[in-house]
Amino acid sequence: MQLIRIRTDDELMWYKEIWDAILEEEDNDNPFIEFAWFYNWWQIVGRKERVELYAIEHEGTIMAFFPFTVSIRLGVRVYAFAGENIANYTGVVSKKEWLQQATTFVFDELIKKHRHILFFFAWFIRK
């Protein structure tokens, strides 16, 4: 597996069809992980954020996208899902069959890369 860092919203356009295809195949009903929402968020709100977007590639296939924002607090890198402050339903773009493997891989790779790291994901459960 390979961790690919997507550094700009222009570079993200190369992955639009793949992103949309994953969500279509999974019958996505969450507008906050759709390509159009994330792309526009990055262009408007994300310009003020430190965005780290990762694609996970395995054997020539993109398995997942992880759209994070990163802040530094007391010397610790804090990763959160992009847009989390305005949309509490953001998250990973992945086929269900790849989700666990891709999530484990991206977290392991980021932990290897950074000495002090925290993952902060606020999911809200609605009844």
Side-chain angles (χ1 to χ4, degrees):
M1 272 194 246
Q2 179 181 0
L3 189 64
I4 300 169
R5 170 105 186 261
I6 300 168
R7 298 185 184 279
T8 67
D9 53 356
D10 289 334
E11 188 178 333
L12 174 60
M13 288 303 295
W14 301 343
Y15 297 93
K16 181 186 184 314
E17 289 180 20
I18 298 167
W19 185 302
D20 287 343
I22 290 171
L23 293 179
E24 183 177 338
E25 197 168 315
E26 290 298 310
D27 294 323
N28 173 58
D29 62 357
N30 179 355
F32 300 109
I33 63 171
E34 290 182 2
F35 182 90
W37 187 91
F38 179 74
Y39 182 80
N40 287 315
W41 174 88
W42 198 350
Q43 288 191 315
I44 298 165
V45 180
R47 294 272 187 240
K48 298 174 188 163
E49 304 275 346
R50 181 178 179 156
V51 177
E52 288 193 17
L53 172 61
Y54 294 98
I56 310 304
E57 184 265 337
H58 180 63
E59 297 180 355
T61 300
I62 300 295
M63 298 175 62
F65 295 95
F66 288 81
F68 295 132
T69 56
V70 181
S71 59
I72 307 292
R73 295 185 189 146
L74 301 172
V76 176
R77 294 176 70 86
V78 180
Y79 282 78
F81 284 122
E84 200 164 81
N85 292 333
I86 56 176
N88 295 326
Y89 307 103
T90 60
V92 178
V93 174
S94 175
K95 292 183 183 178
K96 286 181 185 121
E97 66 192 80
W98 298 336
L99 183 58
Q100 183 176 359
Q101 184 179 9
T103 302
T104 300
F105 178 75
V106 75
F107 287 177
D108 285 348
E109 290 300 303
L110 291 173
I111 289 166
K112 286 180 205 171
K113 185 176 177 181
H114 304 291
R115 185 170 181 205
H116 302 290
I117 190 167
L118 175 69
F119 298 102
F120 178 77
F121 305 121
W123 281 298
F124 295 91
I125 298 172
R126 291 185 158 192
K127 292 184 178 187

